[in-house]
């Protein structure tokens, strides 16, 4: 069935103040070399990545009911993300973040998230049915019933979760068929260390895939109807700023999934997209188009998946 969008998403929408410094973050202090302001947020940036890649994305999280105060929503529209389906509420504001980036591209994010999270519990099934994929993040615990309805309607739910708030997070993860998580969080949540053990601990019969991302070390994948656990190496690139790299990965993964690709193929596309994204400053400045991703994937020496031993 043809749908208006490839991906719907609700979750973090942020305004980022970015500070670049001349020393590693571990140094304790250093000189500011550059300041910038950008728009960010896990889900919001992932949806922008989808738009840059040529996909159709819609943000369905809370936005401000006053257009003049709706800074985050207006920027999403400028970046090609539809906001016409989003619920609106008085006083709804973006998260504010301060991001410190060192010369290696590593960063520390300090954020103030005392804002309205998730989406309206009154969001209709007609809205949810407008895409085959729903992207959520850790704030989706505020709208668990919406996630449950999306799964009941047959949407693939992709979760970008980096922390737990206890049983509510457990329930969201149980509703998710594509867990795409940082390896560090997966290890903490599962109580395992080896990537293959974490993949297996997070697996359930309702999963389509578990993907554990690990920055420059690549990622680890288990997918349905495949006895092999996979390691997908990262591209060898010079990182300028890793802000938004994970969001770009999630966006590209979601778009490939919406296009009917198998999870391992989604990871191949997402790995290429994220590798390009880290070569520019800011969370959205380096987001690639589809042609650039395809060229990256076709280049000599591009990484290929490797079976995990054991």
């Amino acid at each position: 069935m043809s749908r208006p969008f490839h991906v719907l998403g609700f979750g973090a929408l942020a305004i980022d103040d970015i500070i670049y410094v001349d020393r590693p973050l571990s140094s304790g202090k250093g000189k500011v070399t550059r300041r910038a302001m950008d728009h960010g947020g896990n889900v919001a940036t992932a949806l922008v990545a989808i738009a840059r890649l040529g996909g159709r994305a819609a943000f369905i999280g809370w936005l401000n009911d006053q257009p003049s105060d709706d800074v985050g929503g207006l920027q999403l529209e400028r970046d090609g993300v539809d906001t016409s389906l989003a619920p609106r509420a008085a006083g709804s504001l973006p998260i504010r973040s301060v991001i410190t980036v060192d010369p290696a591209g590593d960063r520390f994010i300090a954020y103030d998230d005392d804002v309205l999270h998730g989406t309206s519990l009154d969001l209709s099934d007609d809205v949810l049915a407008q895409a085959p994929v729903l992207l959520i993040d850790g704030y989706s615990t505020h709208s668990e019933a919406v996630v449950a309805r999306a799964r009941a309607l047959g949407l693939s739910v992709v979760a970008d979760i980096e922390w737990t708030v206890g049983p509510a997070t457990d329930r969201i993860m149980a509703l998710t068929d594509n867990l795409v998580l940082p390896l560090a969080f997966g290890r903490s949540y599962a109580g395992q260390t080896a990537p293959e053990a974490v993949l297996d601990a997070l697996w359930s019969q309702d999963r389509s895939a578990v993907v554990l991302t690990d920055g420059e070390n690549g990622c680890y994948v288990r997918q349905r109807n495949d006895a092999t656990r996979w390691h997908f190496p990262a591209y060898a690139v010079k990182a300028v700023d890793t802000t938004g790299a994970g969001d770009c990965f999630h966006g590209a993964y979601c778009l490939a999934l919406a296009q009917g690709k198998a999870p391992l193929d989604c990871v191949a596309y997402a790995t290429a997209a994220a590798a390009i994204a880290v070569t520019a400053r800011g969370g959205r400045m380096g987001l690639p188009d589809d042609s650039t991703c395809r060229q990256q994937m076709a280049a000599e020496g591009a990484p290929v998946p490797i079976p995990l031993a054991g």
Side-chain angles (χ1 to χ4, degrees):
M1 146 175 142
S2 178
R3 308 194 199 193
F5 302 102
H6 290 103
V7 182
L8 306 177
F10 66 85
L13 173 64
I15 296 176
D16 300 332
D17 293 309
I18 308 172
I19 301 170
Y20 297 90
V21 295
D22 66 345
R23 297 185 182 183
L25 298 181
S26 59
S27 297
K29 62 180 178 180
K31 184 177 180 179
V32 174
T33 59
R34 185 170 179 265
R35 297 176 186 270
M37 190 278 284
D38 200 0
H39 292 262
N42 296 32
V43 168
T45 298
L47 296 177
V48 173
I50 291 166
R52 296 273 178 90
L53 290 164
R56 302 183 306 278
F59 184 75
I60 57 170
W62 287 110
L63 293 177
N64 200 286
D65 67 342
Q66 297 297 318
S68 60
D69 294 331
D70 185 24
V71 179
L74 289 171
Q75 186 61 46
L76 282 177
E77 288 282 354
R78 285 192 287 268
D79 284 331
V81 177
D82 187 278
T83 63
S84 63
L85 303 175
R88 294 183 176 267
S92 180
L93 297 171
I95 295 167
R96 293 304 302 251
S97 302
V98 177
I99 304 175
T100 305
V101 183
D102 73 8
D106 295 327
R107 84 279 193 222
F108 182 86
I109 303 174
Y111 58 90
D112 178 358
D113 67 350
D114 187 17
V115 300
L116 190 59
H117 291 299
T119 190
S120 171
L121 298 182
D122 295 327
L123 205 70
S124 72
D125 287 356
D126 287 342
V127 167
L128 294 174
Q130 295 199 41
V133 176
L134 173 67
L135 174 62
I136 59 174
D137 63 15
Y139 294 114
S140 60
T141 53
H142 296 266
S143 309
E144 181 183 331
V146 176
V147 180
R149 284 196 288 116
R151 279 303 305 276
L153 289 167
L155 277 73
S156 294
V157 176
V158 179
D160 173 12
I161 296 178
E162 301 173 325
W163 69 86
T164 179
V165 294
T169 300
D170 297 341
R171 293 192 298 271
I172 287 294
M173 291 178 67
L175 287 169
T176 301
D177 59 329
N178 284 259
L179 280 177
V180 185
L181 314 172
L183 175 60
F185 172 72
R187 282 173 166 159
S188 173
Y189 186 87
Q192 301 287 339
T193 300
E196 57 269 33
V198 180
L199 290 172
D200 290 345
L202 294 175
W203 191 257
S204 77
Q205 63 180 1
D206 296 324
R207 298 268 193 255
S208 295
V210 176
V211 180
L212 304 170
T213 60
D214 192 26
E216 64 184 11
N217 298 314
C219 57
Y220 304 89
V221 185
R222 178 175 176 178
Q223 59 184 355
R224 182 179 292 169
N225 300 326
D226 186 352
T228 303
R229 280 58 164 167
W230 299 94
H231 173 222
F232 205 108
Y235 287 81
V237 297
K238 172 64 175 175
V240 172
D241 187 350
T242 57
T243 304
D247 307 333
C248 179
F249 186 102
H250 281 85
Y253 183 97
C254 286
L255 178 57
L257 188 66
Q259 293 169 337
K261 302 291 194 301
L264 197 60
D265 295 326
C266 296
V267 166
Y269 188 60
T271 298
I276 298 164
V278 301
T279 61
R281 296 186 187 275
R284 297 183 184 177
M285 296 295 289
L287 296 175
D289 59 22
D290 179 71
S291 175
T292 307
C293 274
R294 300 294 176 188
Q295 291 173 20
Q296 180 94 321
M297 295 169 71
E300 183 177 355
V304 296
I306 303 167
L308 283 169

